[in-house]
Amino acid sequence: MVRRNWSAAALAGVLAVSTLAGCGGSDGGDGGSGGNDDGKITLGFSQVGAESGWRTANTKSIQESAAKAGIDLQFSDAQGKQENQITAIRNFITQKVDVIAFSPVVTSGWDAVLQEAKDAGIPVILTDRAVDSQDKSLYKSFIGSDFIVEGQKAGDWLVKEYEGKNEPVNIVELQGTTGSAPALDRQKGFQEKIAGNPNFKIVKSQTGDFKRADGKTVMETFLQSTPDIDVLYAHNDDMGLGAIEAIEAAGKKPGTDIKIITVDAVKDGMTALSQGKINFIVECSPLLGPQLMDLVKKADAGEEIPARVLTEETTFTQEQAKEALPTRQY
Ligand code: GYE
């Protein structure tokens, strides 16, 4: 009880101070760190966490491009939890930030908080991952990759790899975070492409939460239960890299005994690809910062912005990885 009283008193003090500061500001009384007292745009950004090399590169891109664009970035790390993201977004609304952007950890459960942002008149930009809200007016734009196309590219490569061969192909799949847009769509696109050939069979499919350590432990269980694995499809490089450790520990040769396809093309993944431990990588660009800042400026100015901004991406074979590695940014 005593503690509660203390924090209530402390909170009252903070509120009093920020109200005073707000009164002195040019735009009068909006207080909080979201106030435009310094003339800068304030962007509240809720990041998923730090689960992968992709995420680290994405965070760096957002932080660097905000600084370059002169945007005041309020960055919040949700540590992989949706409830933390919802709390962060509510805090941004209370602070009256100018624009909110976030990378939703999962697709569902956003309608209420997005409605709150809309009611507060704060434009929201989805970054990297989609939500399943039916009301598209709850956000202004969605910038990021087409994850279905990424899954299709992975499937296309596999179909071509086994062209003309008539043998059973046992595939294991390491899924990304359960319920996340990239996990759902990379699975869907891949399945679409391999469906036409009855030789292809996904014998095991489980989440590795986009993390290297989880990729390793799940692959260990796959190897124990399924001796004849031909192909691993991992929804990101990190899980593939963890799985490589498990495959090597089991005395098998990754890339040869078990063919490996991953998504992202971060430096560690590209290195393993160039070494022959991965066979094919579908690129997913984390460098969303510069385009996001352009959208933030336009949204803040009340300009029309495109509802969907797609990222340009390619794919890499082992040879292409060797060529691309020296100049790879992330
Ligand atoms: O592929 C994975 C990360 O949402 C596209 O999240 C992103 C994915 C990326 O953890 O490595």
Side-chain angles (χ1 to χ4, degrees):
M1 282 311 279
V2 176
R3 279 182 81 92
R4 278 236 323 256
N5 285 341
W6 261 108
S7 35
L11 185 64
V14 171
L15 285 176
V17 170
S18 62
T19 306
L20 277 175
C23 286
S26 54
D27 58 352
D30 80 347
S33 52
N36 273 338
D37 299 345
D38 56 2
K40 277 186 170 184
I41 297 171
T42 301
L43 167 66
F45 186 88
S46 168
Q47 181 61 289
V48 169
E51 73 282 4
S52 65
W54 190 99
R55 191 63 56 197
T56 308
N58 179 247
T59 292
K60 192 165 169 254
S61 169
I62 287 162
Q63 288 173 336
E64 284 177 0
S65 38
K68 210 167 157 200
I71 289 172
D72 174 19
L73 177 68
Q74 305 281 313
F75 185 89
S76 175
D77 179 337
Q79 301 185 331
K81 294 201 175 81
Q82 180 174 34
E83 63 260 36
N84 291 347
Q85 290 200 296
I86 292 175
T87 303
I89 294 169
R90 293 213 163 109
N91 286 339
F92 294 147
I93 295 170
T94 311
Q95 284 176 40
K96 298 193 169 91
V97 300
D98 299 303
V99 181
I100 292 171
F102 75 114
S103 177
V105 59
V106 290
T107 53
S108 60
W110 298 102
D111 290 13
V113 73
L114 289 176
Q115 186 65 52
E116 288 165 34
K118 190 181 173 187
D119 293 345
I122 302 175
V124 173
I125 301 170
L126 303 179
T127 309
D128 152 42
R129 295 183 181 180
V131 296
D132 65 4
S133 302
Q134 293 307 306
D135 180 358
K136 306 288 177 232
S137 78
L138 292 177
Y139 52 91
K140 293 275 176 224
S141 185
F142 166 32
I143 174 173
S145 312
D146 185 329
F147 301 132
I148 294 187
V149 170
E150 290 175 352
Q152 288 171 340
K153 287 176 182 170
D156 277 340
W157 181 83
L158 196 63
V159 168
K160 220 157 162 237
E161 182 70 7
Y162 283 91
E163 210 164 45
K165 293 182 190 150
N166 192 21
E167 56 195 63
V169 181
N170 287 340
I171 305 163
V172 295
E173 180 181 35
L174 281 168
Q175 298 175 29
T177 301
T178 306
S180 70
L184 294 165
D185 291 350
R186 285 174 187 167
Q187 178 171 52
K188 194 167 175 237
F190 182 74
Q191 279 174 354
E192 268 171 35
K193 290 293 178 176
I194 64 163
N197 185 340
N199 287 334
F200 291 123
K201 216 164 141 197
I202 300 178
V203 290
K204 284 269 150 57
S205 180
Q206 206 178 305
T207 182
D209 207 17
F210 282 130
K211 293 178 186 143
R212 202 176 285 214
D214 296 37
K216 185 178 177 195
T217 51
V218 176
M219 190 68 198
E220 279 164 3
T221 64
F222 285 170
L223 286 160
Q224 277 157 15
S225 63
T226 318
D228 50 348
I229 298 169
D230 300 300
V231 175
L232 162 67
Y233 170 42
H235 289 186
N236 79 343
D237 289 345
D238 279 85
M239 292 189 295
L241 291 163
I244 286 173
E245 290 176 34
I247 293 167
E248 285 175 339
K252 295 195 177 189
K253 230 180 146 195
T256 309
D257 296 332
I258 297 178
K259 293 194 168 111
I260 302 178
I261 311 166
T262 64
V263 187
D264 275 357
V266 294
K267 238 182 203 150
D268 286 356
M270 293 286 275
T271 304
L273 181 62
S274 71
Q275 292 166 344
K277 295 185 178 189
I278 295 179
N279 301 76
F280 189 66
I281 301 186
V282 178
E283 185 184 44
C284 177
S285 176
L287 307 180
L288 304 178
Q291 277 174 299
L292 174 63
M293 297 313 146
D294 283 349
L295 292 175
V296 166
K297 283 184 188 165
K298 288 188 178 143
D300 179 63
E303 288 173 32
E304 275 299 308
I305 57 174
R308 181 78 171 101
V309 179
L310 269 172
T311 328
E312 263 189 49
E313 283 150 357
T314 182
T315 59
F316 294 97
T317 60
Q318 293 172 341
E319 284 312 310
Q320 288 165 333
K322 282 181 204 157
E323 276 167 42
L325 252 179
T327 54
R328 199 76 186 150
Q329 283 184 59
Y330 54 91

